[in-house]
Amino acid sequence: MASNADTPRARALGAELRQARSHKGISTRKLAELIGRSGSHISRWETGKLAPTEADTATVLAVLGVRGSHRERLLELARDASDPNWVAPGADKQLAMLMEYERTASTITNVEPLMVPGLLQTYQYARHILSAFGAPRGQAETNAHMRIGRQHVLTDAPPKKLIAFIGESALRFPPCSHGVMIEQLQRLSQSAQRDTVTLHVLPHGLALAPLLCGSWLLIEFPQAKPVVHLEHFGSSTTLTDGKAVNQYRDSVALLQKHAMSPAESADFISKLSKQKEKS
């Protein structure tokens, strides 16, 4: 029988249960008393170290007052918690899990051939990107605020290390207005000065396998096994299988070999920003 410990769905379920408990305003100890479990059980469920059974999940949801479609979605996560990989329609389906991964990570490597990484985006840039993907104006604005809110992981303690690979095309031919991109380039220049952020620009014309599959994140943790998160148009995928994840880990050195160095990248971004300001 496959383990359901620390799988993508287990992490997503745990994050959702923690949010529901916090919203209800009760402690882990109180919840444990109410359902006849130990406090360590609740903690392990909420961190994804152990996924509760469907029956346990139903009991917790009843105590927390979670009903309707929200309840059904969480029960489905519990049923499928043992699957080491997760493909879901729509990036929002895995958002709670992704936020939990970012919160607990030690190093995040983000490869973005065609856009600026989400953890480095400005609000206006994020809003334009989300609109380009078909989100209505109100939803694009709401999701852009959520994306900006996730950026606190780069400044919270303990600090996370971000290694970002950005395609030259993403900087030269942005899906937003001239003024929005100038602001975004200035933000990237500021971010490049942080000790915890390493920026690499990927020059035009690189036909490397790690770039041909689109954008991806390699998320590494102090103790847990690393995961890979892929975002596609209309869907997202999370991989925890060791062999699959290692393919992405091994490709980072290849990208570093062909990308501009951090110093070259910072200089490129600064010069491009000045060019756009003059044009």
Side-chain angles (χ1 to χ4, degrees):
M1 182 177 179
S3 171
N4 61 7
D6 215 23
T7 65
R9 286 181 177 85
R11 294 288 287 267
L13 177 59
E16 296 254 18
L17 292 178
R18 185 176 66 249
Q19 290 173 7
R21 178 181 57 75
S22 297
H23 182 73
K24 187 72 172 178
I26 63 176
S27 66
T28 55
R29 175 181 291 182
K30 182 62 177 179
L31 178 58
E33 291 175 357
L34 290 172
I35 67 171
R37 289 282 190 168
S38 66
S40 63
H41 257 97
I42 305 300
S43 296
R44 292 172 70 194
W45 287 347
E46 291 188 354
T47 58
K49 298 298 183 185
L50 177 69
T53 64
E54 186 176 354
D56 283 332
T57 302
T59 301
V60 171
L61 297 179
V63 170
L64 299 180
V66 177
R67 299 180 177 85
S69 60
H70 188 192
R71 175 182 181 275
E72 294 307 313
R73 182 169 61 82
L74 297 188
L75 290 177
E76 183 180 359
L77 286 177
R79 280 194 295 272
D80 300 329
S82 62
D83 193 336
N85 300 323
W86 185 12
V87 180
D92 289 349
K93 295 286 186 180
Q94 299 190 14
L95 183 58
M97 174 211 61
L98 180 59
M99 292 173 67
E100 176 66 11
Y101 281 156
E102 291 174 342
R103 185 184 70 83
T104 56
S106 56
T107 303
I108 302 171
T109 301
N110 194 179
V111 178
E112 292 284 359
L114 298 176
M115 69 179 70
V116 173
L119 291 177
L120 298 176
Q121 291 177 8
T122 64
Y123 167 77
Q124 291 297 343
Y125 182 92
R127 186 173 66 83
H128 276 76
I129 287 288
L130 292 164
S131 296
F133 273 81
R137 180 173 178 176
Q139 183 182 345
E141 292 175 350
T142 298
N143 289 353
H145 280 297
M146 290 179 62
R147 182 168 294 184
I148 299 306
R150 285 164 49 195
Q151 296 177 1
H152 70 84
V153 300
L154 297 178
T155 54
D156 285 355
K160 277 68 174 168
K161 182 178 181 181
L162 174 66
I163 304 172
F165 292 89
I166 310 172
E168 183 179 346
S169 296
L171 304 178
R172 289 195 181 276
F173 311 110
C176 60
S177 67
H178 193 72
V180 168
M181 194 59 198
I182 290 175
E183 179 189 26
Q184 179 62 74
L185 289 170
Q186 292 171 343
R187 173 68 62 80
L188 287 175
S189 291
Q190 295 168 1
S191 298
Q193 297 176 18
R194 293 182 184 173
D195 293 337
T196 55
V197 176
T198 302
L199 291 184
H200 292 281
V201 175
L202 298 159
H204 278 313
L206 288 181
L208 302 175
L211 302 178
L212 300 180
C213 62
S215 63
W216 50 272
L217 294 96
L218 169 65
I219 309 175
E220 299 174 276
F221 308 95
Q223 296 179 328
K225 295 178 181 179
V227 302
V228 170
H229 183 75
L230 312 172
E231 290 192 0
H232 317 289
F233 182 72
S235 67
S236 57
T237 306
T238 301
L239 307 174
T240 61
D241 176 73
K243 190 172 182 180
V245 170
N246 283 337
Q247 287 183 312
Y248 288 88
R249 293 183 81 178
D250 294 343
S251 70
V252 173
L254 177 65
L255 293 177
Q256 289 173 328
K257 178 180 177 181
H258 291 275
M260 298 181 196
S261 69
E264 292 170 335
S265 298
D267 185 58
F268 174 86
I269 292 170
S270 177
K271 288 180 178 178
L272 182 59
S273 178
K274 292 175 182 177
Q275 290 174 8
K276 288 184 176 292
E277 288 175 7
K278 293 178 180 179
S279 62

